Amino acid sequence: MTMYDILLKKREGGTLSKEEIGCFVKGCTDGSIPDYQISAFLMAVFFKGLSREETFLLTEAMMHSGDVVDLSSIAGVKVDKHSTGGVGDKTTLIAGPLAAACGVPVAKMSGRGLGFTGGTVDKMESIPGMRTSLEADEFIALVNRVKLAVIGQTGHIAPADKKLYALRDVTATVDNLSLIAASVMSKKLASGSDAFVLDVKCGSGAFMETVEDAKALGELMVEIGAANGKKTIALVTNMDRPLGRGVGNSIEVMEVIDTLKGAGPADITELSLQLASYMIYAGGLAASPEAGYAAAQRALRGGAGLAKLRELIAGQGGNPAVTDDFSLFPRAALSVSVCADADGCVGGIAARDIGVASRRSGAGRETKDDVIDLSAGVILHKTVGDAVKAGDTLAVVRGNDAEKLHDAAAVAKAAFRIGPERTAPAPLIYAVIA
Ligand code: URA
């Protein structure tokens, strides 16, 4: 069997066998299949789809493309949380510390920014000194000691996904249900936790734009988790507008700190509490999600979540003083304000456009080898439902490259829909699939 045969079969809408999928994944991992054939495969899958069975086989092959971590030396039910990617989604760095502060061992593997969405690893690297690549022994020791560690996907864990993830990002093949499910679940399963809480984003700023598609993705991932003996819960959540006020790496970490101090935006605070509640429940430390919510709320109000974030930062070599001194973060030299042209009310802020604006400002990658500007991004001064007057600042775009900022500001401005009437906010959580 050759890669050409596999491509031809998928291009014609055929169903790939276990051997063919295994051969493709092996070739991605050992480098024997060139990028142009992998990219062609991704595009064929994008147009022809994968069956449920093919998706399970792809997930399994990707999971076994590298190490499958053994976390059995960590006591308790290890819980991992994963988002399918959104704009301004910094909940991992809030829900993780809250759940860990309630005693849940959180062994978290995170990704980098993909497409117009941000990634937790990039955000964490805006903290001076922070290491996001730890060997398995150090990772396990940290979870045992602090109850929380957050690392990037190492070369040893699901390396096939690492290759595919980077190529999907630059070939417009990210938003496919099977490719997302296989990508997320192969990493989750290989990373060795016992339970997963998945945040399936839905809306204009997510890879899944409709509630129906997002639910289908959630159900598929919950099924894959269950088939592998892992407790898996998926929350389908709103990503029509950016989460919180900050989008961009250091900008988001500052918002994380404010939120753990009890001064964060309402949406990001509520979603983080909800995710933490399901993590605490999945970890067996609360009898119900409601009891988990109450515990997470106590950890937030009492400061235990913030203390846990400081421990996480120190444990991974970062400077925990950033939690009290934002001047320690990388600073942007330039900023451009985006102003309202007319009086009215903010009826919507297109999350995808704000994600694109943030990427253009330098906070995200246009190609897989781009170096990102950790200080760049967008700060929303107005949110959905706010009244505005002509000339009011809607958002500020920050960065270090005047041309990029000019471009980013135009995109950010177009993201705002301002109308005569106040619109009711859409729900934050559409469904919970368990
Ligand atoms: N997050 C992932 O880990 N993989 C995807 O494909 C999309 C979001």
Side-chain angles (χ1 to χ4, degrees):
M1 152 200 354
T2 66
M3 189 57 203
Y4 182 88
D5 299 329
I6 295 173
L7 280 172
L8 188 60
K9 187 169 178 186
K10 191 36 84 185
R11 191 196 78 181
E12 297 305 308
T15 302
L16 300 175
S17 66
K18 181 172 180 169
E19 290 66 38
E20 286 163 332
I21 289 176
C23 170
F24 169 69
V25 172
K26 184 173 172 297
C28 291
T29 313
D30 65 19
S32 59
I33 303 178
D35 285 3
Y36 54 83
Q37 282 187 316
I38 301 175
S39 302
F41 178 90
L42 293 169
M43 195 55 86
V45 167
F46 188 86
F47 283 114
K48 297 294 176 174
L50 290 177
S51 68
R52 191 173 161 281
E53 180 65 15
E54 286 176 301
T55 308
F56 275 54
L57 290 170
L58 180 63
T59 310
E60 198 189 327
M62 285 166 65
M63 165 188 168
H64 289 292
S65 64
D67 296 345
V68 175
V69 180
D70 177 6
L71 297 181
S72 56
S73 53
I74 301 173
V77 179
K78 279 75 69 185
V79 182
D80 194 351
K81 173 255 165 203
H82 193 88
S83 156
T84 56
V87 178
D89 182 7
K90 65 278 293 173
T91 54
T92 289
L93 294 175
I94 305 166
L98 291 176
C102 294
V104 181
V106 181
K108 173 86 186 83
M109 273 189 40
S110 288
R112 294 194 178 274
L114 183 64
F116 56 88
T117 68
T120 303
V121 171
D122 293 331
K123 292 171 202 181
M124 286 178 52
E125 287 178 357
S126 71
I127 301 170
M130 196 78 178
R131 290 183 301 128
T132 56
S133 172
L134 307 180
E135 286 305 322
D137 291 357
E138 197 180 357
F139 180 61
I140 289 171
L142 201 58
V143 182
N144 265 325
R145 185 163 56 82
V146 175
K147 292 255 180 269
L148 174 64
V150 185
I151 56 168
Q153 192 181 339
T154 70
H156 314 299
I157 292 177
D161 177 62
K162 196 166 188 179
K163 177 85 197 173
L164 293 173
Y165 201 102
L167 284 173
R168 284 167 59 213
D169 193 20
V170 292
T171 56
T173 53
V174 172
D175 46 344
N176 173 272
L177 205 129
S178 293
L179 294 178
I180 296 177
S183 163
V184 172
M185 293 311 290
S186 62
K187 285 185 295 233
K188 296 298 96 182
L189 294 168
S191 64
S193 283
D194 306 304
F196 307 117
V197 174
L198 307 173
D199 182 0
V200 184
K201 298 291 185 197
C202 166
S204 68
F207 299 126
M208 295 291 116
E209 295 207 10
T210 67
V211 176
E212 211 174 50
D213 283 348
K215 276 189 184 165
L217 176 60
E219 278 160 13
L220 185 58
M221 294 196 292
V222 167
E223 269 184 64
I224 294 173
N228 284 277
K230 309 285 183 179
K231 184 166 189 167
T232 308
I233 301 171
L235 279 72
V236 176
T237 70
N238 187 321
M239 189 33 75
D240 268 321
R241 58 172 199 259
L243 266 173
R245 298 292 186 123
V247 181
N249 301 293
S250 60
I251 294 172
E252 293 193 39
V253 178
M254 290 186 247
E255 191 165 85
V256 162
I257 294 164
D258 284 341
T259 305
L260 284 170
K261 288 181 175 173
D267 58 349
I268 204 81
T269 304
E270 177 57 16
L271 184 58
S272 302
L273 284 169
Q274 289 285 353
L275 290 164
S277 75
Y278 282 96
M279 292 171 77
I280 298 165
Y281 169 63
L285 291 172
S288 65
E290 293 72 27
Y293 189 92
Q297 224 171 15
R298 281 193 297 276
L300 179 67
R301 290 184 182 151
L306 180 65
K308 196 51 77 179
L309 178 73
R310 288 197 183 108
E311 281 182 70
L312 166 76
I313 294 173
Q316 294 189 204
N319 182 358
V322 289
T323 57
D324 294 311
D325 182 359
F326 286 174
S327 73
L328 296 172
F329 282 105
R331 295 185 83 76
L334 305 171
S335 66
V336 174
S337 295
V338 173
C339 298
D341 290 329
D343 296 1
C345 196
V346 181
I349 306 174
R352 183 181 289 251
D353 292 346
I354 296 295
V356 171
S358 171
R359 181 164 79 167
R360 298 247 173 107
S361 73
R365 297 175 187 80
E366 302 283 346
T367 73
K368 77 181 162 84
D369 298 320
D370 278 354
V371 176
I372 57 175
D373 178 348
L374 294 167
S375 69
V378 181
I379 298 171
L380 303 175
H381 282 225
K382 297 287 179 190
T383 192
V384 178
D386 285 352
V388 294
K389 294 241 169 284
D392 279 358
T393 301
L394 299 173
V396 170
V397 183
R398 283 191 191 161
N400 290 292
D401 180 320
E403 205 177 313
K404 283 185 183 172
L405 285 201
H406 181 73
D407 188 18
V411 179
K413 183 159 185 171
F416 279 82
R417 187 163 48 77
I418 296 178
E421 275 159 27
R422 196 167 190 278
T423 44
L428 196 57
I429 298 175
Y430 291 114
V432 177
I433 303 158

